[in-house]
Amino acid sequence: MANRLLKHFLPTAKISAERSKDILLVNPTVSGEREYAERSSLSAFSYSGTYVFSQSALTISEVDRFRDNDLINWINLGGINKKDVEHICELFNVHSLLVEDIFSVGQRPKVDEVDGVLFCQLNMLYYNEDECRVESEQISLALGKDYLLSIQEDDTRDVFDPLRLRLNIATTKLRQRQADYLLYSMLDLIVDNYFLVMEKLANRIEAMEDEVIHNSYNQSLLQINLLRKELIILRRNIIPVRDLIGGIIRSESSLIEERNLKYFKDINDHIIQAYELSENYRDMVTNIQDLYINNVNLKLNEIMKFIAVLTCLMAPATIIGGIFGMNFDIIPYAHKHYGFYLAIALMIAIPWGMLVMFKRRNWF
Amino acid sequence: MANRLLKHFLPTAKISAERSKDILLVNPTVSGEREYAERSSLSAFSYSGTYVFSQSALTISEVDRFRDNDLINWINLGGINKKDVEHICELFNVHSLLVEDIFSVGQRPKVDEVDGVLFCQLNMLYYNEDECRVESEQISLALGKDYLLSIQEDDTRDVFDPLRLRLNIATTKLRQRQADYLLYSMLDLIVDNYFLVMEKLANRIEAMEDEVIHNSYNQSLLQINLLRKELIILRRNIIPVRDLIGGIIRSESSLIEERNLKYFKDINDHIIQAYELSENYRDMVTNIQDLYINNVNLKLNEIMKFIAVLTCLMAPATIIGGIFGMNFDIIPYAHKHYGFYLAIALMIAIPWGMLVMFKRRNWF
Amino acid sequence: MANRLLKHFLPTAKISAERSKDILLVNPTVSGEREYAERSSLSAFSYSGTYVFSQSALTISEVDRFRDNDLINWINLGGINKKDVEHICELFNVHSLLVEDIFSVGQRPKVDEVDGVLFCQLNMLYYNEDECRVESEQISLALGKDYLLSIQEDDTRDVFDPLRLRLNIATTKLRQRQADYLLYSMLDLIVDNYFLVMEKLANRIEAMEDEVIHNSYNQSLLQINLLRKELIILRRNIIPVRDLIGGIIRSESSLIEERNLKYFKDINDHIIQAYELSENYRDMVTNIQDLYINNVNLKLNEIMKFIAVLTCLMAPATIIGGIFGMNFDIIPYAHKHYGFYLAIALMIAIPWGMLVMFKRRNWF
Amino acid sequence: MANRLLKHFLPTAKISAERSKDILLVNPTVSGEREYAERSSLSAFSYSGTYVFSQSALTISEVDRFRDNDLINWINLGGINKKDVEHICELFNVHSLLVEDIFSVGQRPKVDEVDGVLFCQLNMLYYNEDECRVESEQISLALGKDYLLSIQEDDTRDVFDPLRLRLNIATTKLRQRQADYLLYSMLDLIVDNYFLVMEKLANRIEAMEDEVIHNSYNQSLLQINLLRKELIILRRNIIPVRDLIGGIIRSESSLIEERNLKYFKDINDHIIQAYELSENYRDMVTNIQDLYINNVNLKLNEIMKFIAVLTCLMAPATIIGGIFGMNFDIIPYAHKHYGFYLAIALMIAIPWGMLVMFKRRNWF
Amino acid sequence: MANRLLKHFLPTAKISAERSKDILLVNPTVSGEREYAERSSLSAFSYSGTYVFSQSALTISEVDRFRDNDLINWINLGGINKKDVEHICELFNVHSLLVEDIFSVGQRPKVDEVDGVLFCQLNMLYYNEDECRVESEQISLALGKDYLLSIQEDDTRDVFDPLRLRLNIATTKLRQRQADYLLYSMLDLIVDNYFLVMEKLANRIEAMEDEVIHNSYNQSLLQINLLRKELIILRRNIIPVRDLIGGIIRSESSLIEERNLKYFKDINDHIIQAYELSENYRDMVTNIQDLYINNVNLKLNEIMKFIAVLTCLMAPATIIGGIFGMNFDIIPYAHKHYGFYLAIALMIAIPWGMLVMFKRRNWF
């Protein structure tokens, strides 16, 4: 039975161990771990307030056109193909240290300004509902004087689609301003997405709480443990982004226009709120675990008490049976025809009296 | 019985889950969630030291009169109607980023100065005694050179009524000073209100403590959990207001007169005290939970000990019954007529002796 | 019996709830709560290095003499009578915001410089030995260019008596220096008094520890809880005083002479030490609570183990009784005259053997 | 049996105590503890962008050649021989305080600039898979104007081999830049190595988690304790390195070229990530311990419940046996030939009914 | 038995309470508590690079010679005699506030510069092996332009003996440099001594861990509690010394030569390491306590399980005895001559079967 119980505990165990690996094994220095994409898809935008030109499915050799053309250029690379990334980064003067960061896996979100290029690296988060886990995709953004280079890890989903729509409309701020506003729009999009992921996690925390309150005697503990791991991953992505946005605001980089600073401050407000919210999440999960353990203990203790009382209530009957089973010559009522029934009556009456006393003392 | 016990635990469960949703689901970036008011009620004051004019039930088109008229203007909007808010904000040069903040739900309290407008957003707190919960209403305040725009989420209750009275009296400081003093008065009113909410919470914490000490065996744990959630909501509203007030003081904004700084410092003292008080509340609730769990355990352990002792005390009688029930030819006292009673006497005497020994060892 | 036990827990319960109210219900914004004194007693000192003049039982109208007289003036007000305080504060240019602070109840200790007046507000602490609680009396100090105004909440006990003695002696530093040295002397007196209160609390913590170690099975838990509340009140008074003293040192106020700064630094050392000591107190109380719970559990577990062993030891006798009570035709030793005694011997020998085994395994 | 259980706990005990000694006994001031190497092996590189010369198995007297030769010189000393170290340090103007640091054991990683020499001391970490422990080797690096002196504690393993390869290639940055780049390369190598050690620890944490989830009833607690000690040692090495790298970046030392600062910032990113990762490790291990204790308790409680239920289920049979064993003249069914079997049937039926009831209440 | 157990707990109780008094009762403001020494022993050194003169057993009147003599003077006072200390402090211009600090008991370590005198006060720590406790002796150091005044609380042990030896050697740095180097040497000596004390404490922690792992069922809890108190005392001495050394480094006092700053930085490194080490000590002791409580619980639970199983295993025999003791006319096997033995066999076989089942479920 205890085995059966433990089996109830184990179905999610495999996931649990996998997930620990994700948390524990992070090595930013070994870029060799990365599985490079076979090819990367390249697209670009050139725009000013009055003019816009875009091209997708670009080849590497065509990128040259999107440089030094008096327009703002946005080059987007999907999928990290080693040669393509290196080529483009060289073209746009991205320092080799930063290229290493692009190639590395599990890099901590960071901002850095090297040789006139403001480089941001952070993770887009997705929530995989099937496996109940937070997934991340590394996004690298390099802002130069009149260009923005964005490199996404995953070719299949494009985070920045909403921006393409806006870029095609001449009246949007995005078209009116410099490349730093495009950077702001991207960061805003990514941070906003964090809230969507947190919403999903919030739903799961809530469901967990409901379950713990209503029927708490199942594999909740392991699931709470799993949830806690997702929160570790969430927080690990959010906390350094706070430093990142703060770093941009404090950088006084000439690449960021004074009048755009307020937008970055707005993202800052959001990321601080996301951070505080994640603190609340952690508190909630801790509360749920406490509630669960208390509930389980309470239920078990109730059962143990019930059984102890039951065993105790049956003892008097054993004694009475023993008394009238003694081999004395003279046993009262032994020769009365109602003796047996009297004994049985006693066997019922005494526990009954005890029960009444227990009840009166409010033991149930 | 254990089921019955768990039922005692569940009556508040529904509230509990709802409340978690309020804590967990906060998304400042999606303004679409907001249910816009169908219409908003508009009122305005124009005043100087010597002159005062007020009008309520204003229409949007009439607002123009309350601008650039060499007086201090206070425009108050109750209920967030999308079009009205946008119109007025445009009229008073409130930046579109800030308008987004006004529309958003669950925004973290903040202060920001954009294009010569000092913008504060925070929450008025109410305590709903029926449902024992802290409720909040978002207040947005935009301070310009000679006007103050206040936008309240809820049309039905007007937070700022006491100020209207004071504005009608020429000798009050409110009339003598600039719009920043009006801003101070509003913030002061809101922060003072926090203490009223905390007073109600304090009463509930105290009642909870009383209950836990006197009759601790009921649904206290879930109620403590609920209380803890209210405290999370309280603290989430108080903590960023501390940053907000500090931000105004440090802002060195030209909109805040030097001589009025001391008033904001006074609010600062209050909000710090509210913050420290909320820390104490949290400690108290944790203490109460510890006390509760310890009391429940102690009571249960006492019961288990009592039952174990009772069961133990009945064992000797069983043995004696067994002894004299053995089928040996020669059993001492078996043929004496007082044998049976001697056995019964032993059955009573031995447990009695054990009981005396237990008592002497101070086990009860 | 469990009821009786819980009764042991309750005698201090009433105090406990009252004390929580003191901690929880603090409202600095509602000065209406204060019960104003019917009348306040007024006394004053005028002194310089060479001259001293003092008068007690002053009437309000006579205060005028103690202003602008080229001497240092100390006006002391005992008991907060609304009209008197307002009159005097107006006379000495104390800002109305500060007057509000004087009237408020439960104000957090603070320092503020408004319109050339350095205003300090903090609490004198007393230890009420009868009710084992820390009591506080609000002291407001307003330092002007050549005067110090001190306002004490309680008319019946005068904190500053030792200073009067020193003021009458021409050679003391107090007479030689400006009013800021008088302020220092007062703060020093108040902070020194904190240590006396802490000494009393220390004695109580120590007594509690002794009790928990020696006879831990009584109402200790509630008393520890009470003690913890006193520590909350103590810390709430000490922590902001640290900010207060620091604020004076950093204020660079022209009212504080450079050469007197070292005295305020000296108080600073003391208040930091008081703060660290209060941290140690808290740790100690937590340790005592842990010790208590561990001791109670250990004792209870010992009892349960003893009873379980006892019950177990009696089981073999029951079995042997059953064996020889069986109705088989042939039962060994049944017809021997020593059969019965053999059975009894077995009933004693087997538990004896078990006991020896338990002992050898070191279970007792 | 309990003894046997405790024996399961003890096999790793010896390691455990040894390891505590490593953590507890650190004395940076007593250099006498060090066991000096009998001899140290000396090797050197002289290089510029165009020229490279290296020599191993150098004698002390030959070192002179690697000074003030208009090249960049790297002198590497393996094994801390007292005389050799002192001689070389004197030669390169390393201050005697720093020499003391080199000789000391268990020195906290530090950076210091004394008399134009930038001195870094930190530990190389290795993971000993046989004994499952983190081992450290002290590395001292002294950067002068045109030289870098590196002193390794252990002669047998050379940390810096990869650099020798790179130094022989003229086109590497290492050859193009000054000695500070060599310092960077060394620090980078050491910090990168930390991640390898953490990877090994991560594997062990993961294995531990798996074990705790699947078969938790063995010596896990002591092993978790051991793991926690390894984490203390890991963190003790990582945390001050963070200060060290930060110290170099903030030092504004003339020895560090402006253009190389970004490389040190890159190491900074890595060490911060290592630090945060180690925090996560600690959380994970705490989680695992909680899981273990909860699992053990749960399993034990299940067993106890099972046994209590079993004992309870057998009580009715005892009672029935007692009832029909009573010596009344008239006992129902006593003379029926199926009486005995009826009693047995009851003995089986009643527990069966109880079992059904327990099941229905979901107690198993 | 439980009484006996508690007695095991109490032998160290008296020490325990005493020690609490030391921690709790600290009053820096009441110098009256000090028991002044009847007489203090005075010794002095006058030295320069080329000249040295020392005299011990000095009388107060002779001190004058060691002032303003163009040499560096070190005056050392052992034992705090009120009059002597006051006399000497006046002679060397030590401010009366600092004199009060010298007289106070339990003063927090501090550094202060008043009227051209840099004053340090801290505690020398000793480890009393007999009573297993950390003892402290207050050391006050006053550094003037060309003198250093050191005042030790305890006349019988002289901390600074090693310095006397070094002062007699002309080539030591101590002789070559100013009085600030002498101050450094003293602080270094004191801080180094902390590590010796910690080493002793480390040995005790290690022994405690060994004991808890191997035979955990004795008075460990109280001893752990005692150890924790020693750590409180240790940390209380170390933490403010960190501020003290930092204060000297940041003071930019003209009394500290620029070139000597690096020495104070070296002490800083040591005291930070001592601080971090003491954090580790605390963690270790907490770990040991957890281990102890877990071990005790585990052992107790094992015993309870064993007894519960034993009791359960004996129940079937009782039932069988009851079955064949029933008074039915027809009882199977009752008239067979092997009936009795069959019943006994069953009484052994059934528990045996149960035992096998338990074992197979891995319950032992």
Side-chain angles (χ1 to χ4, degrees), chain E residues 22 30 57 81 84 131 135-136 142 168 177 182 193 216 261 263 272 302 307 330 333 349 357:
Chain E
D22 294 345
V30 183
N81 175 290
D84 290 0
E131 308 190 27
E135 293 179 349
S136 66
N168 283 317
R177 307 222 165 174
L182 182 60
N193 205 52
S216 53
L261 262 188
Y263 295 102
I272 286 174
E302 279 305 310
I307 291 169
I330 300 164
Y333 303 99
M357 188 191 76

Side-chain angles (χ1 to χ4, degrees), chain D residues 144-210:
Chain D
K145 213 183 70 62
D146 54 2
Y147 64 89
L148 182 70
L149 180 63
S150 62
I151 300 174
Q152 305 182 40
E153 208 174 16
D154 186 350
D155 195 14
T156 57
R157 42 190 169 189
D158 192 340
V159 184
F160 298 132
D161 254 353
L163 295 180
R164 285 180 232 281
L165 290 175
R166 279 206 264 157
L167 273 179
N168 282 319
I169 304 167
T171 55
T172 54
K173 275 217 193 76
L174 206 51
R175 281 282 291 285
Q176 305 297 332
R177 306 224 166 172
Q178 297 301 310
D180 60 338
Y181 194 88
L182 182 60
L183 174 69
Y184 152 71
S185 303
M186 286 175 172
L187 291 176
D188 195 37
L189 220 131
I190 293 169
V191 169
D192 281 8
N193 205 51
Y194 289 175
F195 283 95
L196 297 181
V197 172
M198 291 176 86
E199 218 171 284
K200 299 276 172 56
L201 274 173
N203 287 331
R204 216 174 129 213
I205 293 174
E206 207 196 318
M208 183 76 75
E209 192 185 20
D210 251 27

